Amino acid sequence: MITIKNLYKRYHNHHGSNWVLKDLNFTIPTGTSVGLVGRNGAGKSTLLRLIGGMDAPDRGEIIRDCSVSWPIGLSGGFQNSMTGRQNVKFVARVHGSNRNMDEIISFVEDFAEIGKAFDEPVRTYSSGMKSRLSFGLSLAFDFDMYLSDEATAVGDKAFKAKASKAFKDKVGKAGLIIVSHSEGILKDLCQAGIFLHKGTATWFDDVNDAIASYHESIKK
C-alpha cells in the first residue's frame, strides 16, 4: 500500500514557484493498477518521481508499505560513464536479488534489445535506449509496485507489444502506476485512475471515470 498525505511539490524558476501538486491525499491499495491522467504539465511525471523516491516533496509525506520500482521510462539514474552491462551489475548489487547475477544480466540484455550498445557507455545511448534498459532492469526484480512513465511507447511496434505484454503479465502479481498518452493502454492495464488537474488529484475506482473527467476538463 502507498499512502500520500498532505503532499505539496513545486519547482523554483524564473517564472515563479507555483505549486505543481498541492495537498494531495489518497491511498493506492496493494496489487492495484492505477492510471495517472491529466493535461501535459499536470504533474503526472512529477508524482511518479515522488512515489519512486527520485524526488522529494516540499511538504507532506509518502508512506510506502511495499517495494516500489524506479519509474520505468525515465532515463535518469544511470551512471553515464559506465556501460549498460556495468549499470545492471551495479543496480543488482545495490538492490540484491535471489536471482543469479548472470541471469539478471542475460534477462536485461535480451529484453532491452540494444545489441552491442549494451557494452558501450550509457552516455552514448539515445533516450529510447536508456528507457529500454531501465524497463528491462526493473522487470528483472520482483517489486510489489511498478512505475511506468510512457514505457510502453518506446521502440518499434514489436517492442511496444512486448512491453505491454510484460505489464499484463504483472497484473494480479503486482501493482502498476502508469503514465501513458494511450487511453487504450490505460483501459487495458489499469483498474483505478487518478485525475491530476490544477495541482489537485482525484481518485477514481474505475480508470474509465478518471479518463472521462480528463475529457471534461479539456472541453472547458
Side-chain angles (χ1 to χ4, degrees), residues 67 97-99 138-146 170 174:
S67 60
S97 175
N98 293 326
R99 297 179 65 179
S138 289
L139 294 177
F141 298 92
D142 292 324
F143 292 105
D144 297 316
M145 185 70 73
Y146 291 85
K170 292 293 182 183

Side-chain angles (χ1 to χ4, degrees), residues 52 54 68-72 91 95 134-135 137-138 141 143 147-148:
M54 296 180 72
V68 181
S69 81
W70 49 87
I72 306 168
V91 172
H95 282 267
S134 173
F135 202 153
L137 190 52
S138 289
F141 298 92
F143 292 105
L147 311 180
S148 169

Side-chain angles (χ1 to χ4, degrees), residues 35 37 187 190-195 202-217:
V37 298
K187 291 178 180 180
C190 301
Q191 303 150 354
I194 296 173
F195 172 48
T202 305
W203 173 274
F204 292 90
D205 290 330
D206 189 329
V207 69
N208 292 288
D209 294 333
I211 292 171
S213 291
Y214 164 67
H215 284 302
E216 283 296 318
S217 74

Side-chain angles (χ1 to χ4, degrees), residues 10 25 31 37 47 53 58-59 61 67 96 109 112 115 129 161 164 169 193 204 211:
R10 64 181 170 188
N25 291 274
V37 298
L47 179 57
D58 289 279
R59 301 181 195 169
E61 61 181 331
S67 60
E109 185 174 13
M129 290 167 68
S164 295
D169 290 344
F204 292 90
I211 292 171

Side-chain angles (χ1 to χ4, degrees), residues 122-192:
V122 168
R123 66 170 177 269
T124 65
Y125 289 13
S126 66
S127 59
M129 290 167 68
K130 289 180 182 179
S131 294
R132 284 172 175 244
L133 187 65
S134 173
F135 202 153
L137 190 52
S138 289
L139 294 177
F141 298 92
D142 292 324
F143 292 105
D144 297 316
M145 185 70 73
Y146 291 85
L147 311 180
S148 169
D149 193 340
E150 295 292 348
T152 55
V154 175
D156 56 21
K157 185 176 180 179
F159 189 84
K160 290 177 183 177
K162 183 167 73 169
S164 295
K165 182 181 184 301
F167 277 139
K168 288 178 182 177
D169 290 344
K170 292 293 182 183
V171 173
K173 302 175 185 175
L176 310 173
I177 304 176
I178 303 175
V179 173
S180 176
H181 282 97
S182 169
E183 293 181 6
I185 290 291
L186 295 177
K187 291 178 180 180
D188 197 23
L189 296 177
C190 301
Q191 303 150 354

Side-chain angles (χ1 to χ4, degrees), residues 12 28 95 103 208:
H12 302 281
I28 301 175
H95 282 267
E103 288 180 0
N208 292 288

Side-chain angles (χ1 to χ4, degrees), residues 41-85:
K44 300 186 294 296
S45 293
T46 296
L47 179 57
L48 211 63
R49 285 196 299 270
L50 290 168
I51 293 173
M54 296 180 72
D55 205 344
D58 289 279
R59 301 181 195 169
E61 61 181 331
I62 301 172
I63 303 170
R64 306 171 188 85
D65 294 321
C66 60
S67 60
V68 181
S69 81
W70 49 87
I72 306 168
L74 295 179
S75 57
F78 290 121
Q79 295 294 322
N80 284 330
S81 61
M82 292 165 56
T83 67
R85 187 183 303 275

Side-chain angles (χ1 to χ4, degrees), residues 81-112:
S81 61
M82 292 165 56
T83 67
R85 187 183 303 275
Q86 290 169 334
N87 269 279
V88 172
K89 287 182 179 179
F90 176 77
V91 172
R93 291 194 186 102
V94 169
H95 282 267
S97 175
N98 293 326
R99 297 179 65 179
N100 178 278
M101 177 71 76
D102 290 337
E103 288 180 0
I104 293 173
I105 294 170
S106 179
F107 174 86
V108 178
E109 185 174 13
D110 290 343
F111 191 94

